[in-house]
């Protein structure tokens, strides 16, 4: 998708489709209150073209509600699409992101290859953050998951133009626009990885894709495999990999901005299970095919690193993705096996883990990933993983789960989500949960019973993060969009990329904390 920024008045823009936003400005309540759809484009010609349909009451400017006008009188565009934001009082920058995606997804199946979106002309929806969100939303909307259809007709939008005629500070708009492009492309980069099936994206191939990207954007990178796992004594990570003929990949991406020699080192750790059968504790066949997206946490970290490399915040970042395939086989680990995790220092013993369920594999690979990040100097940790089915039981498919041992780090993450629009809900940690994974034979076991499964998984990771400020994101319920929405296709969501990026930027040297 090509992107352009235009400062010409929208009525004069020749295009296949001009999209403008509308909101319901009705504030009174009660049985007689009718929606009051109001155009957020203060252009007399566009207002005139839309006046008739807005007067009918047929169109209410509800959230993502659209109405299309062909050959609108008095404006240069061939079509005028009105996209609703819902109640103006409730509309946010995130509504604009979704509206942009809605415009793009409206155009795609209709063979419309160019979209011009007019920024909202509204005092409550202004500034760089809205510009950025609109561009991000367009990218989110442009993605479709049907990449392996042999008769696939590429319906991608060729040119997306953001019309910003009403904005006074052009330099700020241009900067925000450029940011939006980087973030949108990085999110889609992650989604494309998540979409790949297990046979097309083995740990080795995930490593290659990460390395190619790293080379393109100028990140430092290393991709290790079996030998290095043994050398580092990554017994937990290896125990998952040992059942598969596909070798594991320990992917390390480094962002070291010039001149930044001190301050925090942020460690991003991602679960990269390219397929999760459950191993010997095998999963039921129903929906097992979905387990190709069990590397969504790793993909989020790779996507975030791409954006970080291009946006160049002044803070050091290191990402570690632990990629493996969880398979049952004659070499697979068994329930009851005891594994020794990577030690935090060569002269210290690694913690011993009793394997109760080989399907609780994500926490095993992350245990060694977190330890390795700390060993490489990470002062703050964030991990992302499709870790538990239990997180969906707790939070549904509305919020992803978040956990932290550090309120300051989590505060920054919360501010980051206010910018990203990704929905996370913090859940508790606590010794009483940690007690549930004490093992009779070793230090800890990898499952702790039926209740509070997402919290217990988080407490397992906490054992390895120890006192290092750490955030754990359980994205199992949110990494895959099960039913398409007006602004996003069914398929991988790319959740995490935007929030992790903003969290990283919040540690930038000399940057004011996000309000
Ligand atoms: N990858 C799964 C979690 C998952 C479930 C992700 C559904 C996406 C959608 C994870 O490895 C897993 O199998 N977790 C088990 C843990 C249990 C054995 C303690 C689970 O949630 O059932
Ligand atoms: Mn599993
Ligand atoms: Zn898994």
């Amino acid at each position: 998708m090509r992107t352009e920024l235009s400062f010409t008045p929208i009525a004069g823009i020749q295009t296949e489709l001009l999209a403008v936003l509308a909101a319901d400005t009705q504030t009174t309540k009660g049985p007689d209150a009718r929606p009051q759809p109001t155009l957020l484009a203060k252009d007399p010609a566009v207002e005139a073209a839309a006046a008739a349909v807005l007067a009918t009451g047929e169109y209410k400017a509800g959230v993502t509600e659209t109405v299309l006008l062909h050959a609108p009188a008095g404006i240069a565009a061939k079509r005028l699409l009105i996209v609703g934001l819902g109640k103006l009082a409730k509309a946010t920058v995130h509504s604009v992101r979704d509206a942009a995606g809605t415009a793009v997804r409206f155009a795609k199946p209709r063979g419309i290859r160019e979209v011009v979106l007019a920024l909202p002309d509204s005092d409550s929806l202004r500034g760089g953050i809205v510009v950025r969100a609109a561009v991000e939303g367009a990218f989110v909307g442009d993605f479709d998951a049907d990449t392996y259809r042999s008769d696939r007709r590429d319906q991608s939008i060729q040119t997306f133009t953001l019309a910003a005629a009403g904005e006074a500070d052009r330099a700020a708009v241009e900067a925000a626009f450029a940011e939006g492009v980087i973030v949108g492309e990085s999110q889609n980069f992650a989604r494309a990885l998540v979409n790949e099936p297990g046979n097309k994206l083995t740990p080795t191939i995930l490593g290659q894709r990460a390395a190619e990207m790293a080379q393109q954007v100028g990140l430092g990178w290393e991709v290790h495999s079996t030998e290095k796992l043994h050398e580092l004594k990554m017994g937990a990570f290896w125990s998952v990999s040992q059942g598969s003929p596909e070798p594991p990949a320990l992917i390390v991406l480094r962002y070291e901005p010039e001149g930044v020699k001190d301050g925090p080192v942020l460690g991003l750790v991602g679960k990269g299970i390219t397929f999760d059968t459950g191993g010997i504790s095998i999963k039921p066949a129903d929906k097992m095919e979905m387990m190709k997206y069990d590397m969504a946490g790793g993909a989020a970290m790779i996507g975030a690193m791409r954006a970080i490399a291009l946006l160049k915040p002044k803070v050091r970042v290191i990402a570690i993705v632990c990629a493996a395939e969880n398979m049952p086989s004659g070499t697979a680990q068994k329930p009851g096996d005891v594994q020794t995790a990577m030690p935090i220092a060569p002269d210290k013993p690694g913690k011993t883990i009793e394997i109760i369920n080989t399907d609780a594999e994500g926490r095993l690979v992350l245990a060694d990933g977190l330890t390795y990040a700390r060993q490489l100097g990470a002062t703050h940790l964030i991990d992302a993983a499709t870790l538990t089915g239990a997180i969906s039981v707790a939070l549904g498919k509305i919020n992803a789960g978040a956990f932290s041992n550090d309120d300051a780090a989590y505060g920054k993450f919360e501010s980051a989500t206010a910018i990203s629009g990704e929905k996370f809900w913090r859940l508790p940690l606590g010794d009483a949960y940690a007690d549930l994974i004490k093992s009779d034979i070793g230090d800890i076991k990898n499952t702790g019973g039926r209740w509070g499964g997402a919290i217990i998984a988080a407490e397992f990771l906490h054992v390895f993060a120890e006192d290092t400020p750490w955030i754990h994101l359980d994205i199992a319920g949110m990494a895959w969009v099960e039913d398409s929405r007006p602004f996003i296709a069914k398929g991988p969501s790319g959740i995490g990329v935007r929030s992790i990026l903003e969290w990283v930027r919040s540690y930038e040297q000399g940057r004011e904390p996000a309000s």
Side-chain angles (χ1 to χ4, degrees):
M1 192 173 82
R2 255 193 342 172
T3 47
E4 283 171 10
L5 188 56
S6 161
F7 291 102
T8 29
I10 52 176
I13 302 179
Q14 283 184 12
T15 176
E16 290 292 320
L17 185 132
L18 170 66
V20 296
L21 307 180
D24 178 3
T25 52
Q26 179 62 266
T27 48
T28 54
K29 289 186 179 142
D32 297 328
R34 298 273 172 275
Q36 212 168 77
T38 307
L39 222 53
L40 302 181
K42 302 217 167 33
D43 180 300
V46 173
E47 283 177 312
V53 71
L54 294 185
T56 61
E58 291 166 20
Y59 176 75
K60 302 179 175 60
V63 176
T64 71
E65 190 190 354
T66 50
V67 63
L68 180 70
L69 306 176
H70 280 270
I75 67 174
K78 285 192 193 163
R79 304 173 187 82
L80 179 65
L81 179 73
I82 307 176
V83 185
L85 296 178
K87 290 247 183 260
L88 185 60
K90 283 190 177 174
T92 65
V93 50
H94 310 306
S95 327
V96 175
R97 185 185 290 104
D98 291 351
T102 304
V104 162
R105 292 202 69 70
F106 182 93
K108 288 190 74 179
R110 292 170 173 85
I112 301 166
R113 292 285 162 268
E114 55 175 38
V115 172
V116 177
L117 175 74
L119 278 175
D121 214 329
S122 157
D123 290 338
S124 56
L125 299 169
R126 230 174 245 303
I129 187 159
V130 178
V131 171
R132 192 186 128 175
V135 184
E136 288 169 3
F139 277 99
V140 169
D142 197 38
F143 182 95
D144 268 297
D146 59 347
T147 41
Y148 286 98
R149 253 190 211 153
S150 55
D151 64 348
R152 179 172 202 255
R153 282 181 305 132
D154 189 356
Q155 298 185 325
S156 314
I157 297 298
Q158 272 158 13
T159 315
F160 174 81
T161 305
L162 193 67
E167 300 289 320
D169 188 347
R170 290 196 181 187
V173 171
E174 274 159 14
F177 181 82
E179 249 184 47
V181 172
I182 290 169
V183 177
E185 285 179 345
S186 298
Q187 183 174 349
N188 282 354
F189 181 82
R191 291 166 85 191
L193 291 174
V194 176
N195 196 42
E196 291 291 339
N199 66 327
K200 304 285 186 190
L201 192 94
T202 60
T204 307
I205 297 172
L206 181 61
Q208 288 166 353
R209 298 275 288 263
E212 272 163 30
M213 180 279 289
Q215 252 151 357
Q216 277 168 15
V217 301
L219 288 168
W221 64 272
E222 298 149 46
V223 180
H224 303 287
S225 190
T226 310
E227 242 177 70
K228 185 76 173 184
L229 265 61
H230 293 324
E231 187 194 309
L232 293 171
K233 299 200 172 77
M234 289 182 152
F237 184 0
W238 171 249
S239 78
V240 177
S241 187
Q242 72 180 48
S244 171
E246 286 296 341
L250 171 61
I251 303 166
V252 183
L253 302 175
R254 291 173 199 267
Y255 171 71
E256 283 158 349
E258 245 172 77
V260 182
K261 296 279 167 269
D262 50 18
V265 177
L266 307 179
L268 280 45
V269 182
K271 171 177 174 181
I273 300 297
T274 59
F275 196 84
D276 181 13
T277 65
I280 294 298
S281 314
I282 197 162
K283 289 179 181 294
D286 189 41
K287 292 276 151 67
M288 200 209 269
E289 74 279 5
M290 297 312 296
M291 283 301 111
K292 70 171 188 174
Y293 79 74
D294 214 15
M295 34 59 72
M301 295 315 184
I302 296 170
M305 286 304 276
R306 181 187 181 277
I308 290 162
L310 295 170
L311 292 172
K312 304 192 184 348
K314 288 190 182 60
V315 57
R316 290 172 292 172
V317 189
I318 176 158
I320 291 165
V321 177
C322 300
E325 200 179 60
N326 188 23
M327 296 287 277
S329 78
T331 63
Q333 69 174 330
K334 303 167 293 293
D337 285 1
V338 175
Q339 308 294 0
T340 306
M342 182 182 177
I344 186 68
D347 56 331
K348 296 248 169 67
K351 295 187 169 97
T352 56
I353 305 166
E354 180 187 8
I355 305 299
I356 302 299
N357 189 319
T358 65
D359 197 10
E361 85 298 339
R363 62 199 77 180
L364 297 173
V365 305
L366 288 172
D368 286 347
L370 289 165
T371 302
Y372 192 39
R374 292 173 70 203
Q375 208 178 80
L376 292 176
T379 57
H380 298 69
L381 297 164
I382 190 163
D383 76 69
T386 47
L387 203 62
T388 68
I391 197 70
S392 305
V393 177
L395 298 174
K397 306 252 165 195
I398 310 292
N399 279 283
F403 302 82
S404 184
N405 61 357
D406 187 277
D407 289 344
Y410 192 76
K412 281 172 169 284
F413 185 76
E414 225 173 5
S415 305
T417 63
I419 297 169
S420 74
E422 295 177 331
K423 293 185 70 140
F424 285 88
W425 195 264
R426 189 177 181 179
L427 293 168
L429 296 164
D431 290 344
Y433 294 103
D435 286 346
L436 300 171
I437 48 172
K438 286 186 174 150
S439 165
D440 294 334
I441 189 172
D443 297 328
I444 51 172
K445 50 189 184 180
N446 78 330
T447 65
R450 188 169 146 73
W451 308 111
I455 304 176
I456 289 169
E459 277 297 351
F460 184 95
L461 300 179
H462 193 182
V463 170
F464 298 92
E466 295 187 309
D467 292 334
T468 304
W470 154 76
I471 296 169
H472 158 55
L473 306 176
D474 191 340
I475 58 171
M478 297 296 287
W480 197 264
V481 179
E482 286 172 358
D483 297 303
S484 64
R485 321 238 335 242
F487 49 87
I488 190 167
K490 180 175 171 176
S493 67
I495 191 177
V497 173
R498 297 202 306 255
S499 301
I500 293 159
L501 165 69
E502 283 318 313
W503 181 75
V504 165
R505 293 173 98 195
S506 76
Y507 284 89
E508 192 173 5
Q509 272 183 18
R511 193 176 143 123
E512 288 299 305
S515 55

